[in-house]
Amino acid sequence: MIALQEQVQVVDHPVVQHLLTRLRDYHTAPHKFRRYSIALSEHLVYEACRSMKCRDVNVETPVGPAKGHSMTDYVVLAPVLRAGLVMSEAAQRILPAARVYHVGLKRDEETLEAKSYYAKLPDSLPSDSRVFVLDPMLATGGSAVAAIELFKKMNVATVQLVSFVAAPEGIKRVHSAYKDVQITCASVDEKLNERGYIVPGLGDAGDRIFGT
Ligand code: PRP
Ligand code: URA
């Protein structure tokens, strides 16, 4: 794993890079795109969990006593609609006890600003919560900052962002607003184009996942 800069975790595992390449490929059909997205999400969320808090526990194996660890954080998954939905499906496989709060944001393709259209959130969360904001694309960072802000306002201990691909512009925007937010991704790409798309990126994640 390479840490390009503080709070950016780039997962360079061959399996992750293989899946990312399949997603980048223009010829990958939507049903395969969804399957690869779920697999990639599982690996990225797994890596993002490295800093989870654990407590020591004692268990009995069929052969005798053993010391082990149990994760203690109150885990919240916050998929950003639409594209984040596939990521939460995957994340729940490895964090089955997590609570899921959906955040609906749509980027205005003219202004590139994120507009909120749905947020079903609790009034508060336990202070030791660890929130994983799930959004495959970190482009300008407008959507990520809007989603992160919802949870930062609740004073939770930790907010992390998990994305497939991040643009340098998006990383900068997230860390200018919230420098403690760890970003886990499979790649930091080159730049944004004039329409705010990540280059080379993988195109419109929502459209490719849902075949629209
Ligand atoms: C895409 C993507 C992110 C956002 C990233 O969603 O899934 O949420 O754009 O762009 P930003 O970093 O510049 O905000 P979009 O708004 O197109 O909605 P969709 O998932 O419903 O297609
Ligand atoms: N949203 C996407 O789905 N892809 C991009 O490259 C930028 C924003």
Side-chain angles (χ1 to χ4, degrees):
M1 192 174 331
I2 317 163
L4 281 185
Q5 60 190 68
E6 221 181 319
Q7 299 293 40
V8 181
Q9 179 190 29
V10 181
V11 183
D12 67 349
H13 191 286
V15 173
V16 164
Q17 294 305 315
H18 173 84
L19 290 165
L20 174 64
T21 306
R22 299 277 37 88
L23 293 178
R24 288 197 196 275
D25 190 342
Y26 173 70
H27 296 101
T28 300
H31 68 284
K32 287 192 176 164
F33 193 93
R34 262 194 306 279
R35 184 149 50 82
Y36 296 140
S37 294
I38 291 170
L40 178 60
S41 303
E42 272 194 45
H43 296 301
L44 292 176
V45 171
Y46 173 82
E47 287 296 340
C49 287
R50 275 185 187 276
S51 47
M52 291 266 257
K53 293 198 186 72
C54 290
R55 68 183 159 82
D56 296 338
V57 291
N58 297 311
V59 293
E60 290 287 331
T61 78
V63 182
K67 292 187 190 305
H69 305 284
S70 189
M71 295 190 292
T72 55
D73 288 329
Y74 184 98
V75 178
V76 171
L77 304 175
V80 177
L81 307 179
R82 290 175 298 164
L85 281 176
V86 283
M87 298 184 74
S88 75
E89 197 181 320
Q92 284 176 89
R93 291 185 189 175
I94 50 175
L95 299 166
R99 282 77 178 168
V100 184
Y101 291 107
H102 297 87
V103 177
L105 291 165
K106 177 76 193 126
R107 194 170 80 146
D108 181 316
E109 293 303 332
E110 295 297 318
T111 64
L112 299 184
E113 281 307 309
K115 297 266 185 336
S116 166
Y117 61 88
Y118 184 79
K120 188 161 173 25
L121 303 179
D123 294 334
S124 64
L125 283 169
S127 56
D128 63 343
S129 298
R130 181 178 296 265
V131 178
F132 293 95
V133 173
L134 306 173
D135 192 335
M137 307 306 280
L138 175 60
T140 65
S143 304
V145 168
I148 292 165
E149 188 178 24
L150 295 170
F151 296 95
K152 283 286 186 180
K153 276 186 189 159
M154 290 186 218
N155 293 319
V156 300
T158 310
V159 182
Q160 296 182 220
L161 173 66
V162 185
S163 297
F164 296 170
V165 182
E169 295 89 333
I171 293 173
K172 199 168 166 200
R173 182 151 170 194
V174 167
H175 284 157
S176 303
Y178 303 107
K179 67 174 186 307
D180 63 330
V181 169
Q182 182 186 300
I183 300 170
T184 301
C185 60
S187 174
V188 176
D189 275 10
E190 198 187 321
K191 59 177 183 181
L192 295 178
N193 69 14
E194 62 290 346
R195 292 177 53 222
Y197 275 79
I198 301 175
V199 180
L202 47 79
D204 189 307
D207 283 351
R208 293 194 67 193
I209 289 165
F210 296 108
T212 49

